[in-house]
Amino acid sequence: MIEGHGDDAYRYGGRVCHNLSSNICGDVDHSALMAYLAGRGASIASYPQPEADGLRDRIASLLGVQSGEVLVTNGATEAIYLAAHAFAGCASAIVSPTFREYEDACALYGHTVTHIQSLEEVKPSDGMVWMCNPNNPTGCVTDKTALLRVISSHPGVTFMVDQAYADYTTCELLTASEAVEAGNVILLSSLTKRFSIPGMRIGYAVGPGNLLERMRRMRMPWSVNALAIDAAHYLLDRSGESVIDADGLHAEALRVRSALISLGLEVSSTDCNFMLCRLPAGSSAQLKDWLVEEAGVLIRDASNFHGLTSSHFRIAVRPEPEVNDLFINSLKKWMSS
């Protein structure tokens, strides 16, 4: 899906002042990172490691798994397409509504796709199950005990569990070791989300070596560029300086959710800083454009998620309550008109 993601402020020619369309939290000062990368310019004169081996080994050590159980990728999205390619032609169940790239990757590689609403619908005949946890766009987290129970009861099914938003919830999620030990889990993580660097495109997959080897055989060399690798090392060196206030963001999300419900919207429960909303009337695409012009606020039109309608949109609350109040008040004005 080339078009239709959130964070499409580029479409509005600088008129977006407050981005509620991206699940990445708020404005982050990257000046130190940019200064560091400016001094690493010579690295672009040579090829990077074909598989980012040094970064792979470092992440494996941090997670307490073996190097062969980690695959560094060009954003978590590359891992999605590599997994779909590795299991080309299989039957895939997608827990929906969720991130559209799972469906698109499966279509590209000939999967037979069914959409399910709960893990209880997983069948032994499924080749793969795709889920986002915390889920995009709802912000809901699947109970870890329930998830492990379903995984263990279907040893012949490969579970792709996308935990890109792990740092935006305080709920208990799968660990790297649990994914490896299960034997049938590919766990996705995103440094893009962790450090708010979507332009760098860097993520990784963790899982048993045999599953990751199937994915590795499908990848192009040098898919992760030298500056992205340098940035990842720099940020991991300073990971303690980049703290996401998941509790504070969740509390603010619940406050905003209550305000939206009082306006007559349907709003998903959420365990994160983002949530799925449905207007009682009108189009989310129209609302999106109006909010940019009226208040400089950008939301995510969610009509292209499977099973959703033209009235659905997603927001991620900002750490500044006044920005969220601007959105609420602007929405109220739009609805009254």
Side-chain angles (χ1 to χ4, degrees):
M1 184 174 65
I2 301 299
E3 300 290 341
H5 288 282
D7 200 15
D8 55 350
Y10 59 86
R11 296 180 58 238
Y12 295 94
R15 299 193 298 280
V16 173
C17 303
H18 308 292
N19 190 347
L20 277 66
S21 79
S22 172
N23 298 345
I24 295 172
C25 169
D27 296 321
V28 178
D29 181 5
H30 289 311
S31 56
L33 171 61
M34 290 187 286
Y36 170 76
L37 292 177
R40 296 289 300 171
S43 66
I44 68 172
S46 302
Y47 283 96
Q49 291 179 325
E51 294 192 2
D53 295 346
L55 181 58
R56 177 203 63 196
D57 295 347
R58 180 174 187 177
I59 291 172
S61 178
L62 289 171
L63 297 176
V65 298
Q66 300 299 310
S67 291
E69 295 162 347
V70 174
L71 181 65
V72 176
T73 55
N74 186 350
T77 300
E78 185 192 11
I80 292 168
Y81 281 82
L82 289 174
H85 193 180
F87 289 85
C90 82
S92 275
I94 301 175
V95 185
S96 300
T98 195
F99 188 41
R100 172 70 179 272
E101 294 299 338
Y102 312 144
E103 183 178 359
D104 288 358
C106 288
L108 182 63
Y109 292 108
H111 292 226
T112 302
V113 172
T114 57
H115 292 272
I116 61 177
Q117 294 184 315
S118 119
L119 289 172
E120 302 306 316
E121 300 175 55
V122 174
K123 304 185 297 294
S125 57
D126 291 324
M128 294 190 74
V129 171
W130 303 74
M131 68 175 298
C132 193
N133 195 43
N135 186 44
N136 174 16
T138 63
C140 297
V141 172
T142 298
D143 177 74
K144 177 179 172 178
T145 300
L147 175 56
L148 284 172
R149 182 175 63 250
V150 173
I151 289 170
S152 64
S153 64
H154 294 85
V157 178
T158 298
F159 288 79
M160 170 65 81
V161 182
D162 184 350
Q163 290 187 178
Y165 300 104
D167 294 291
Y168 291 84
T169 184
T170 57
C171 296
E172 190 176 7
L173 302 175
L174 290 184
T175 66
S177 296
E178 287 169 335
V180 172
E181 291 167 6
N184 60 335
V185 174
I186 300 168
L187 191 65
L188 300 190
S189 293
S190 171
L191 296 182
T192 291
K193 305 296 189 298
R194 169 67 181 84
F195 295 109
S196 300
I197 50 168
M200 296 303 302
R201 311 307 308 140
I202 186 126
Y204 59 91
V206 177
N210 63 313
L211 293 184
L212 292 199
E213 180 57 30
R214 287 183 67 167
M215 294 170 62
R216 189 173 285 110
R217 289 198 296 266
M218 304 301 164
R219 78 177 310 176
M220 296 182 293
W222 309 298
S223 69
V224 183
N225 71 75
L227 289 178
I229 293 171
D230 284 342
H233 281 295
Y234 176 91
L235 291 167
L236 290 173
D237 284 341
R238 296 158 180 81
S239 59
E241 300 173 12
S242 301
V243 178
I244 296 171
D245 181 12
D247 273 329
L249 286 168
H250 184 231
E252 179 64 3
L254 295 181
R255 182 187 74 84
V256 172
R257 179 176 184 269
S258 294
L260 298 182
I261 290 174
S262 72
L263 293 178
L265 279 73
E266 295 177 15
V267 188
S268 65
S269 58
T270 181
D271 299 300
C272 295
N273 66 317
F274 57 93
M275 65 198 86
L276 177 66
C277 310
R278 184 176 187 177
L279 295 165
S283 157
S284 60
Q286 293 173 337
L287 171 63
K288 176 183 177 181
D289 289 342
W290 184 89
L291 283 170
V292 171
E293 300 303 327
E294 175 71 16
V297 170
L298 182 65
I299 62 171
R300 165 67 150 95
D301 174 4
S303 59
N304 62 349
F305 286 91
H306 179 86
L308 300 187
T309 71
S310 62
S311 297
H312 282 93
F313 67 93
R314 187 195 70 204
I315 60 163
V317 303
R318 297 288 297 255
E320 310 91 352
E322 63 273 16
V323 173
N324 302 319
D325 288 340
L326 172 64
F327 160 70
I328 294 168
N329 293 328
S330 299
L331 173 62
K332 186 184 301 184
K333 180 178 178 181
W334 184 81
M335 292 179 68
S336 66
S337 66

